[in-house]
Amino acid sequence: MSRYRRYEGGDPLAPPVDLAEALDAIGEDVMAGYSPERAMREFLRRGGSDQAGLDDLARRVAERRRDLLQRHDLGGTLDEVRELLETAVLEERKQLARDAMMDEGDRAFRQMRLDNLPDSPAAAVSELNDYDWTSREAREAFEQIKDLLGRELLDQRFAGMKQALENATDADREAVAEMLSDLNELLEKHARGEDTDADFADFMAKHGHHFPENPQSVEELVDAMAQRAAAAQRMLRSMTPEQRAELMELSAQAFGSPALMQQLDRLDANLMGLRPSEDWGGSEQFGEGGQGVGLGDGTGVLQDLADLDALADQLAQSYGGARLDDVDLDKLARQLGDEAAVDARKLQELERALKSSGALERGFDGELRLTPKAMRQLGKALLREVAQKMSGRQGQRDLRQAGAAGDLSGASRPWAFGDTEPWDIPRTLLNGVVRRAGDPAGPRLSIEDVEVSETEDRTQAAVALCVDTSFSMAMDGRWVPMKQTALALHTLIGSRFRGDALELIGFGRHAETMRIEELTALDARWAKGTNLHHALLLANRHFRKHPHAQPVLLIVTDGEPTSHLESSGDVFFSYPPHPMTIALAVRELDNARRLGAQTTFFRLGDDPGLARFIDSMARRVEGSVMAPEEGDLGAAVVGSYLGSRRGSGGASGPGSYGDWFGSRGFWAG
């Protein structure tokens, strides 16, 4: 037989989680110096453009908790008892005044007892326990006090009992007493390990209507009961000593039967033994002047507060091994509504998708890191953005041409509109055969089957990208654009010009060659020094390793050289720049020119002294200078590289980028 329930997953037609946005944000944070683990957590905390994050959910949990504390205080039961007691005494006084047949001595004695009642409601109720009421209305009001206390005490442990037992008969009270006795016997057998499934089934068949949680086992029953009982204990500790003392005195008179309190005390002892980990000793301070609640309602409020505290911990994700699957969606839906649970479920799906997408992996040290696949995806996104800036038009289509009509690279790719490369006939036919194996009635050849052969330019280049990693780059906000530029160029060469050799060189106080993964994960360095001399030494070594390739030297810097490498291997630093530092940098730049390098300087910042120095260096080697904004650095570097490959000596300006791409059809629209 089929069973159905309400769908709780949000909009069933909603699109899947957007990994692209998440990966872009994570990649940018990693380049800014975050670890991939922290970058992922930060994105989940912020959320996406159309996705609430953990911070928003945590804020709503805190607001809900604050609202509960401000709206409720725990004097509700005492206030209700006090009102009923005043009603009983007032009705009795009226009856005494009206009853002309009453003995004057009896009347005086009764009035004296009413006049001398203690101020404490608990003491007054105890004092009137044996009072023989002459007024029917007064007697009914006083009996309501005992009935209220009994229902409140039961409502602490059994949700809804207060309303269910309103106007209860003696038979109803006897049924409750029997249920408590049977419950305690079941829990005691369970503690000894002597209970059976049949014992639980028999108990639920007889008393299940008292348990709206509908537990499916003794363990679930204990969980539900222990949470409310612990909340009841916390509620008592949240009251003033005077309130607590009065309620304890009044509780002894509940239903007019001490047996009820004995069974409840026995129940608390059993639950504490079975669930010692519950918070049995805590307390919560409620706001003053709020809406009064009774014992049962107060227990419910405290249970809500306990749920909210647990949700706050789960959403904070600050404990070891935290993951979003820890968030209790049922509690979140109860406290904040179904929409909040849907938001949290989407974040859970996003976290799982990020970890299963192959974009993040754990290294031997247990730390998350970006995989090569993620680096390629991030590089492609950056390269696409660079192409749009270079073409000068938004929304253009990437035709993914690997080169003009040059040498075949041996690779192929699916055909796209505008491709001019020759078809790869074997791959195209094989695709058609494979497709028709699953669809025999389909056409023999479809446009989706077509693959074209990739080609590469015949000219090879040895490219040295020297990027300044001194403290000023990080201080002035150029750290992330520098990394993005390196990744975009690395992606372009790795995917379109695989015959070219790229060397990434970072230079601060000293220089070093880096893999792209090392450069993108590089933390900001605060040591002073711009060692262009050492960077040029490494660049020239790279050029000499590739004697048949066209050398392309790209230098990104925001400062004059202030350090150089001495013959001993030590680093010399001086500011203002020492003449020897300038001379050594110029010498290595001349060496690069003799090797045939086409040089482009990318000057960042508006320092006039730097501008004069860079201009003179570029004139010396017949190179070019560009002064892009940080956001345009990637387009400037990539454009210069592409221009150098065509033998143009570097791009002359932004206008040439669109011309180059238009003529090559690289990202033409």
Side-chain angles (χ1 to χ4, degrees), residues 458-625:
R458 296 184 178 91
T459 303
Q460 291 185 334
V463 185
L465 174 61
C466 303
V467 291
D468 191 341
T469 58
S470 62
F471 83 101
S472 59
M473 290 284 287
M475 182 177 66
D476 294 332
R478 297 163 185 149
W479 198 253
V480 173
M482 175 269 290
K483 291 183 177 184
Q484 291 174 332
T485 297
L487 182 54
L489 183 61
H490 179 273
T491 302
L492 175 64
I493 292 176
S495 60
R496 305 292 186 253
F497 301 99
R498 295 196 265 295
D500 288 0
L502 172 64
E503 186 88 306
L504 299 174
I505 301 170
F507 63 99
R509 197 174 187 88
H510 68 278
E512 60 183 314
T513 60
M514 296 181 176
R515 293 182 295 109
I516 187 62
E517 295 82 5
E518 294 173 328
L519 181 58
T520 53
L522 185 66
D523 287 335
R525 293 177 172 177
W526 302 103
K528 295 182 179 180
T530 304
N531 200 332
L532 180 60
H533 167 239
H534 193 185
L536 291 172
L537 280 171
L538 296 176
N540 289 334
R541 185 180 68 179
H542 175 61
F543 297 149
R544 292 187 184 101
K545 287 181 181 179
H546 303 84
H548 303 297
Q550 167 64 53
V552 177
L553 178 60
L554 308 172
I555 302 171
V556 178
T557 185
D558 70 346
E560 299 175 69
T562 55
S563 62
H564 65 263
L565 198 65
E566 296 186 319
S567 57
S568 63
D570 295 329
V571 172
F572 174 86
F573 169 78
S574 174
Y575 184 83
H578 192 278
M580 180 59 70
T581 300
I582 301 296
L584 289 173
V586 169
R587 186 182 72 183
E588 286 306 315
L589 190 63
D590 288 343
N591 289 338
R593 181 189 180 189
R594 281 191 288 271
L595 291 171
Q598 297 179 4
T599 303
T600 306
F601 286 91
F602 301 89
R603 175 173 55 82
L604 303 178
D606 300 321
D607 179 30
L610 175 64
R612 288 191 297 270
F613 172 76
I614 294 293
D615 287 344
S616 64
M617 293 276 279
R619 284 195 301 271
R620 183 181 183 90
V621 295
E622 297 182 355
S624 58
V625 178

Side-chain angles (χ1 to χ4, degrees), residues 306-509:
D307 286 349
L308 291 168
D309 287 341
L311 287 170
D313 289 340
Q314 294 162 10
L315 293 170
Q317 296 280 286
S318 57
Y319 49 90
R323 55 196 184 117
L324 288 185
D325 283 342
D326 297 340
V327 177
D328 190 323
L329 298 181
D330 291 334
K331 283 183 181 178
L332 196 62
R334 278 200 308 272
Q335 299 299 335
L336 300 183
D338 291 340
E339 182 180 347
V342 170
D343 286 336
R345 183 180 291 107
K346 287 181 180 177
L347 289 174
Q348 290 176 343
E349 293 172 358
L350 181 58
E351 182 185 51
R352 288 192 292 268
L354 284 170
K355 292 182 177 180
S356 63
S357 66
L360 298 170
E361 63 182 3
R362 291 203 179 273
F364 294 112
D365 55 1
E367 294 293 326
L368 275 181
R369 62 190 56 175
L370 292 177
T371 63
K373 175 184 177 181
M375 296 294 293
R376 288 193 299 271
Q377 290 176 338
L378 185 57
K380 288 177 181 177
L382 291 171
L383 191 55
R384 189 175 300 112
E385 181 180 343
V386 164
Q388 290 175 348
K389 289 183 178 180
M390 293 172 67
S391 67
R393 290 177 291 176
Q394 297 294 320
Q396 298 185 2
R397 184 172 50 82
D398 174 8
L399 297 183
R400 301 180 298 168
Q401 285 187 285
D407 295 329
L408 294 175
S409 68
S412 64
R413 67 173 187 281
W415 176 88
F417 180 77
D419 281 337
T420 59
E421 290 87 354
W423 284 18
D424 186 327
I425 302 299
R427 289 291 306 174
T428 299
L429 294 177
L430 178 61
N431 290 340
V433 171
V434 171
R435 178 181 49 75
R436 292 190 69 235
D439 182 19
R444 291 183 178 277
L445 195 64
S446 173
I447 193 64
E448 300 92 55
D449 302 329
V450 178
E451 292 200 18
V452 294
S453 300
E454 288 190 342
T455 62
E456 293 181 343
D457 268 350
R458 296 184 178 91
T459 303
Q460 291 185 334
V463 185
L465 174 61
C466 303
V467 291
D468 191 341
T469 58
S470 62
F471 83 101
S472 59
M473 290 284 287
M475 182 177 66
D476 294 332
R478 297 163 185 149
W479 198 253
V480 173
M482 175 269 290
K483 291 183 177 184
Q484 291 174 332
T485 297
L487 182 54
L489 183 61
H490 179 273
T491 302
L492 175 64
I493 292 176
S495 60
R496 305 292 186 253
F497 301 99
R498 295 196 265 295
D500 288 0
L502 172 64
E503 186 88 306
L504 299 174
I505 301 170
F507 63 99
R509 197 174 187 88

Side-chain angles (χ1 to χ4, degrees), residues 88-381:
V89 170
L90 179 61
E91 292 299 327
E92 181 67 7
R93 290 184 187 278
K94 290 180 181 179
Q95 182 61 33
L96 291 176
R98 287 195 301 264
D99 193 348
M101 304 298 294
M102 179 176 292
D103 179 73
E104 288 301 323
D106 185 28
R107 189 198 313 272
F109 178 72
R110 290 174 180 274
Q111 287 177 341
M112 182 184 66
R113 288 192 65 179
L114 297 178
D115 291 340
N116 292 291
L117 286 175
D119 292 334
S120 164
V125 170
S126 179
E127 178 72 25
L128 294 173
N129 240 348
D130 60 350
Y131 183 83
D132 182 17
W133 299 91
T134 61
S135 166
R136 179 175 58 81
E137 292 82 0
R139 183 182 299 106
E140 290 176 354
F142 190 76
E143 290 300 323
Q144 286 181 41
I145 293 176
K146 294 184 177 181
D147 180 71
L148 168 68
L149 292 171
R151 289 186 289 116
E152 289 278 14
L153 286 171
L154 291 172
D155 201 50
Q156 285 182 295
R157 278 77 171 181
F158 307 92
M161 188 70 81
K162 178 179 178 181
Q163 291 75 24
L165 287 180
E166 192 169 6
N167 302 318
T169 64
D170 290 340
D172 294 330
R173 297 187 179 93
E174 289 176 6
V176 169
E178 183 181 8
M179 180 272 292
L180 287 172
S181 177
D182 291 347
L183 176 59
N184 279 315
E185 289 179 7
L186 176 63
L187 297 183
E188 288 160 3
K189 287 182 68 175
H190 184 67
R192 297 191 300 269
E194 299 173 358
D195 63 313
T196 65
D197 291 341
D199 291 333
F200 175 74
D202 291 343
F203 176 82
M204 291 301 293
K206 186 176 181 181
H207 305 297
H209 58 285
H210 292 300
F211 301 91
E213 301 91 351
N214 192 28
Q216 300 300 306
S217 65
V218 176
E219 289 295 324
E220 290 186 13
L221 174 65
V222 172
D223 286 338
M225 295 293 300
Q227 289 175 6
R228 286 192 67 85
Q233 293 294 325
R234 296 196 301 275
M235 181 273 301
L236 287 174
R237 288 172 174 79
S238 300
M239 305 177 76
T240 64
E242 294 78 11
Q243 287 178 325
R244 183 162 58 249
E246 288 183 10
L247 279 175
M248 293 303 291
E249 288 183 40
L250 286 168
S251 298
Q253 305 170 55
F255 278 164
S257 170
L260 175 63
M261 282 302 299
Q262 293 172 3
Q263 289 287 1
L264 291 176
D265 289 342
R266 180 183 170 194
L267 176 61
D268 284 347
N270 287 329
L271 293 172
M272 290 176 70
L274 290 168
R275 291 293 184 271
S277 60
E278 287 288 341
D279 182 9
W280 296 94
S283 64
E284 191 69 61
Q285 184 61 48
F286 281 76
E288 296 183 2
Q291 175 185 347
V293 293
L295 295 178
D297 293 335
T299 299
V301 171
L302 282 174
Q303 191 168 357
D304 285 341
L305 289 170
D307 286 349
L308 291 168
D309 287 341
L311 287 170
D313 289 340
Q314 294 162 10
L315 293 170
Q317 296 280 286
S318 57
Y319 49 90
R323 55 196 184 117
L324 288 185
D325 283 342
D326 297 340
V327 177
D328 190 323
L329 298 181
D330 291 334
K331 283 183 181 178
L332 196 62
R334 278 200 308 272
Q335 299 299 335
L336 300 183
D338 291 340
E339 182 180 347
V342 170
D343 286 336
R345 183 180 291 107
K346 287 181 180 177
L347 289 174
Q348 290 176 343
E349 293 172 358
L350 181 58
E351 182 185 51
R352 288 192 292 268
L354 284 170
K355 292 182 177 180
S356 63
S357 66
L360 298 170
E361 63 182 3
R362 291 203 179 273
F364 294 112
D365 55 1
E367 294 293 326
L368 275 181
R369 62 190 56 175
L370 292 177
T371 63
K373 175 184 177 181
M375 296 294 293
R376 288 193 299 271
Q377 290 176 338
L378 185 57
K380 288 177 181 177

